[in-house]
Amino acid sequence: MTATAVFVIDDDPEVRAAYASLLRSVGHRVVGYADADAFLAGDRPDCPACLILDVRLPGKSGLEFQRELGAHGIGIPVVFVTGHGDIPMSVAAMKAGALEFLTKPFRDQDLLDAVHRGLALDRERRAADALLSQLRSRFESLTAREREVMDWVAQGHPNKVIANALDLSEVTVKVHRAQAMRKMGAGSLAELVRIADRLAAMPKANGAEPSG
């Protein structure tokens, strides 16, 4: 089973200890922090994770820190816990992408269920990120002409149209298309199109973006 981690940010050491005891009892690795800055400054394990975040923290609030996480490129699922929650606060947290908003007192199982959902989501996110990174690396291995042909193929154009548009022979287009499929690991034209669509949806990087 892949190692996982649950991060806990709460300024009350007794609360951190209670969460840690509960989570460790079902096999989770737990790392606690007294405030948001300690979390950002700390060394975090590179594995699927979930963050339990207290709404009221010293300095910036949990809601403020939730927004800051995105700026730091940290996309792990967030489970908010609070003893002072209200509907506007929970709505704000959920709109900003929080996985769950638990108001004390809550059942231990509610927290465990939320954490398990968060870890499952983070596994999916990390797997998707790894696949996109691999596709990006493969795309960058294409020549400029192979990228151009792949783009035209992804738009649904037949070889003859592509050949005329790029002033190439159909045989040359077929060669570039085959090379692009091989390098991208596509077993069919339909798969190549799906790959091109996924790459086109990615943020631009180093100008090597399909034009789609």
Side-chain angles (χ1 to χ4, degrees), residues 94-172:
M94 301 302 278
K95 281 186 175 180
L99 174 67
E100 185 61 88
F101 193 97
L102 299 176
T103 302
K104 301 174 185 177
F106 51 80
R107 298 182 307 136
D108 288 350
Q109 193 60 49
D110 291 336
L111 181 62
L112 292 176
D113 288 346
V115 166
H116 293 160
R117 290 199 306 274
L119 292 173
L121 284 172
D122 205 42
R123 287 191 190 94
E124 294 174 3
R125 177 187 65 84
R126 292 171 66 89
D129 286 349
L131 175 59
L132 288 175
S133 177
Q134 183 182 64
L135 292 179
R136 164 64 64 193
S137 179
R138 290 177 181 177
F139 180 74
E140 290 176 349
S141 75
L142 300 182
T143 65
R145 183 62 84 183
E146 288 165 355
R147 294 178 189 177
E148 196 171 19
V149 169
M150 177 176 165
D151 182 47
W152 279 82
V153 169
Q155 294 177 51
H157 298 295
N159 291 336
K160 183 175 182 179
V161 172
I162 298 173
N164 289 335
L166 301 182
D167 196 23
L168 300 171
S169 70
E170 286 190 55
V171 172
T172 300

Side-chain angles (χ1 to χ4, degrees), residues 131-132 134-140 142 150-151 153-154 180-202 209-210 212:
L131 175 59
L132 288 175
Q134 183 182 64
L135 292 179
R136 164 64 64 193
S137 179
R138 290 177 181 177
F139 180 74
E140 290 176 349
L142 300 182
M150 177 176 165
D151 182 47
V153 169
M181 290 178 61
R182 180 183 65 79
K183 291 181 180 180
M184 296 305 301
S188 66
L189 284 179
E191 188 175 357
L192 185 67
V193 171
R194 287 194 295 270
I195 290 172
D197 288 344
R198 296 192 71 171
L199 287 170
M202 292 177 65
E209 195 73 19

Side-chain angles (χ1 to χ4, degrees), residues 2 9 37 39 58-59 82 88 91 98 117-118 141 154-155 164 179 192 199 205:
T2 304
I9 304 179
D37 290 336
F39 172 83
T82 180
V91 169
R117 290 199 306 274
S141 75
Q155 294 177 51
N164 289 335
Q179 284 289 87
L192 185 67
L199 287 170

